[in-house]
Amino acid sequence: MSQTAARRARILRLRSIEHRVAAVRLAQADAAHASVIKVAERVAALRDQVNVIEGVQNASDLHSMAELAERLDRARTGLDRSLAEAAEIRDARDADRIAARLKEDRTGRVHAEAMRREAAERELRAAAARAPRFKKGTFA
């Protein structure tokens, strides 16, 4: 393998590693996004459970329930921003993965074409180095 072929092979390995790293980062971003979704669902479920029970209530209990409901509403608002940020990060990681995959594919095609050309050139050099074979009875 020539030096340029070895360099192309190294670049191809590098592109492959870059694609795998991008895929792992996308998986991590997906997991983070799913985690934020689960937390948001849990906060929404808790907020739905905070209800005022009919009948005579203690004022401090009513105040505590109202404060809890307000805190859960603020948490849901904060989680909406976190959810949007996690979705943006996930989309960016997906774009990075796609770009890395395209680079890997392009590099692989270039490497395969170059290897095919080098093999053809080797065959031509080998054919040119052979002594011509004459048929019996003919001389050049």
Side-chain angles (χ1 to χ4, degrees):
M1 184 182 288
S2 67
Q3 287 181 348
T4 55
R7 185 176 29 190
R8 279 193 310 270
R10 282 192 303 273
I11 291 171
L12 181 59
R13 282 191 302 274
L14 174 69
R15 297 287 190 240
S16 177
I17 291 168
E18 286 174 350
H19 177 249
R20 283 185 262 152
V21 167
V24 167
R25 287 183 179 159
L26 174 62
Q28 290 171 340
D30 279 338
H33 184 254
S35 175
V36 173
I37 288 174
K38 286 180 184 177
V39 170
E41 289 171 352
R42 182 68 179 138
V43 168
L46 287 173
R47 175 61 178 99
D48 291 341
Q49 291 175 359
V50 175
N51 296 326
V52 176
I53 301 171
E54 291 185 22
V56 178
Q57 292 289 322
N58 186 347
S60 64
D61 289 344
L62 287 175
H63 184 273
S64 296
M65 295 287 266
E67 184 180 349
L68 179 60
E70 182 183 339
R71 286 182 181 192
L72 288 171
D73 287 338
R74 277 187 277 152
R76 191 181 331 178
T77 303
L79 284 172
D80 288 342
R81 285 185 299 239
S82 296
L83 186 60
E85 289 173 1
E88 287 177 16
I89 291 170
R90 183 193 62 205
D91 293 343
R93 295 295 182 259
D94 192 33
D96 292 345
R97 184 197 60 80
I98 290 169
R101 179 60 186 211
L102 290 174
K103 283 181 182 179
E104 180 185 18
D105 289 345
R106 191 175 323 122
T107 304
R109 284 191 305 270
V110 167
H111 181 68
E113 178 62 23
M115 293 301 289
R116 186 193 60 75
R117 274 183 298 171
E118 284 183 7
E121 289 172 4
R122 273 194 307 271
E123 287 180 21
L124 287 174
R125 282 193 301 271
R130 285 189 215 125
R133 301 180 101 190
F134 298 107
K135 293 182 182 178
K136 272 191 175 180
T138 60
F139 296 100

